Amino acid sequence: MIFSSVSAILNAAVDDEYMRKNPCSTSTVRAPARNPQQVVSWCADRVFAVQSALPEQYRAMVDLGAGCGLHQGEIFGLSEEEIRFGAGWVHVGCQVRVVRGELVFALPKRQKVRDVPLSPQVADALKRHLADFPPLAVTLPWARPDGKPVTKRLLFVRPDGKGAVRRTDVNTRLWKSALVAAEVIPPAEPGKRHTAAREHGMHALRHFYASVLLDAGENIKALSAYLEHTDPGFTLRTYTHLFPSSEGRARVAMDKVYLGRPFGPDGPQTAQS
């Protein structure tokens, strides 16, 4: 955690041109070995309960997180033209991030663009959102506060329609309230903030996405690409405990064979008679 925080600070210094290179990214510097807690995936009921508790104009954020695996900033920066309904893909080429306190458009995390599959059901949800809440043009500088202005027609904007949404506003004013309504976290005590719940942030939607794809038999290399991980090994280490058990797969495979047999449960003699 400390290494990641220091590296993130140095990355920001590089972005702001205070440094030429992040020393934590060199081949001679290695991050300390991790012993992370296992990811606990939400169930579908919880995902949809939290979604229904959000204001209607922001509910499709859950479809993009849980249904496409997008990061929070990528959801905020998604424009209408990046949803390719006909081809069944979402192009992830931009995020909204904060640089020196100002919102900017920037490339996705690790400077990598990608395409993720768009299922018909998620596509229908996005079409309904676009019909009810038409995209609005938002202009932000690219990469840094003094960068070149770029205009995009965003799916999600501030409640007043004036600008891109800010992560802290969504997390504190919308997401935490939805978690309370869905009984994921307790209500805040009078005069106090909601309790910290990092494991229940919007990143939980990506964990749900990963669990669904793994349960469906998707391979690690493809899932790693969809989640924009640099190393399939990281994806494997993070989600290996979510793989369906081998004995469970064996039962399902055999059931598929037996469901297709041409005679009844008492054997072929019964069918012939």
Side-chain angles (χ1 to χ4, degrees):
M1 178 65 71
I2 295 175
F3 183 92
S4 298
S5 298
V6 171
S7 183
I9 292 171
L10 294 176
N11 277 332
V14 173
D15 289 342
D16 293 340
E17 298 182 358
Y18 291 114
M19 300 177 64
R20 294 182 60 187
K21 190 174 182 179
N22 180 355
C24 291
S25 301
T26 63
S27 59
T28 57
V29 178
R30 295 184 179 181
R34 293 184 178 184
N35 184 23
Q37 294 182 343
Q38 288 189 340
V39 168
V40 178
S41 175
W42 283 7
C43 64
D45 287 345
R46 173 172 286 184
V47 170
F48 297 131
V50 171
Q51 181 179 42
S52 65
L54 287 169
E56 190 174 359
Q57 72 189 89
Y58 298 118
R59 289 177 186 170
M61 287 183 175
V62 174
D63 297 310
L64 289 166
C68 296
L70 270 62
H71 286 285
Q72 187 181 50
E74 294 166 349
I75 294 172
F76 298 165
L78 187 67
S79 60
E80 178 182 24
E81 60 271 16
E82 291 174 320
I83 305 175
R84 299 164 182 174
F85 290 109
W89 293 92
V90 172
H91 179 67
V92 186
C94 179
Q95 66 167 322
V96 171
R97 58 175 298 193
V98 179
V99 176
R100 300 203 296 270
E102 301 293 330
L103 294 182
V104 302
F105 287 131
L107 288 173
K109 193 175 180 180
R110 301 186 184 92
Q111 312 296 300
K112 293 174 62 177
V113 301
R114 68 190 189 280
D115 293 299
V116 296
L118 177 63
S119 80
Q121 290 295 320
V122 175
D124 287 345
L126 295 180
K127 287 177 181 177
R128 290 193 296 270
H129 173 81
L130 290 169
D132 295 338
F133 304 97
L136 292 177
V138 172
T139 301
L140 292 175
W142 183 260
R144 47 187 300 136
D146 59 353
K148 179 181 178 181
V150 173
T151 300
K152 291 181 174 290
R153 291 178 54 80
L154 300 183
L155 271 68
F156 307 103
V157 295
R158 287 169 33 180
D160 61 7
K162 298 178 180 178
V165 293
R166 185 179 287 266
R167 180 185 61 213
T168 51
D169 291 340
V170 170
N171 291 344
T172 57
R173 299 178 185 177
L174 302 179
W175 190 254
K176 287 286 184 70
S177 297
L179 292 178
V180 171
E183 300 182 347
V184 178
I185 63 173
E189 296 181 15
K192 295 185 178 181
R193 295 181 177 182
H194 293 290
T195 56
R198 285 180 60 88
E199 71 276 18
H200 298 308
M202 284 186 70
H203 203 79
L205 301 178
R206 278 170 54 87
H207 296 326
F208 174 79
Y209 174 80
S211 70
V212 170
L213 265 61
L214 289 174
D215 191 58
E218 183 60 276
N219 69 73
I220 280 292
K221 186 175 182 180
L223 177 60
S224 180
Y226 300 153
L227 290 173
E228 177 258 319
H229 290 163
T230 56
D231 175 20
F234 172 81
T235 310
L236 180 62
R237 292 190 297 273
T238 304
Y239 296 115
T240 186
H241 63 289
L242 297 180
F243 275 93
S245 64
S246 58
E247 62 269 23
R249 292 195 299 271
R251 295 188 188 102
V252 171
M254 194 55 66
D255 271 353
K256 289 181 179 179
V257 173
Y258 268 71
L259 287 172
R261 61 182 176 173
F263 47 80
D266 295 326
Q269 294 83 2
T270 302
Q272 290 173 355
S273 63

